[in-house]
Amino acid sequence: LRSQQELKARLLNLLNTVLSGVEELEARFKLRSELMRLQLLEVLAALRTACPDAADVLDACDRFDEEMHYDNEEMCERLESSIAMRQQ
């Protein structure tokens, strides 16, 4: 590897690949929750600050955030649907 920056980007891409390989929404949600409990969001924020010109690192951080956002939206929709069904 050429640099620490490249290593960081590759590790983040590996993490994103592992997460995207999990088919079940609930399993991805639990895995991301555990990563957040381990302060991954703080690590991503620190990487953005430490590597503002590293497009590969920033792209990997953004991918994590975007996929988390989509999964959170889908989980909310499922919960809202479940609540609506129970109220009928």
Side-chain angles (χ1 to χ4, degrees), residues 9-60:
R10 286 186 182 198
L11 288 172
L12 287 172
N13 284 323
L14 174 63
L15 177 62
N16 285 329
T17 299
V18 168
L19 285 167
S20 66
V22 177
E23 291 186 30
E24 294 296 321
L25 173 64
E26 292 84 3
R28 282 193 314 273
F29 192 84
K30 287 179 184 179
L31 185 53
R32 275 202 191 87
S33 295
E34 183 62 23
L35 291 169
M36 289 186 306
R37 190 185 71 76
L38 295 170
Q39 301 181 334
L40 180 64
L41 295 180
E42 288 82 357
V43 170
L44 296 178
L47 285 171
R48 285 185 171 102
T49 301
C51 307
D53 299 323
D56 51 351
V57 172
L58 298 176
D59 288 346

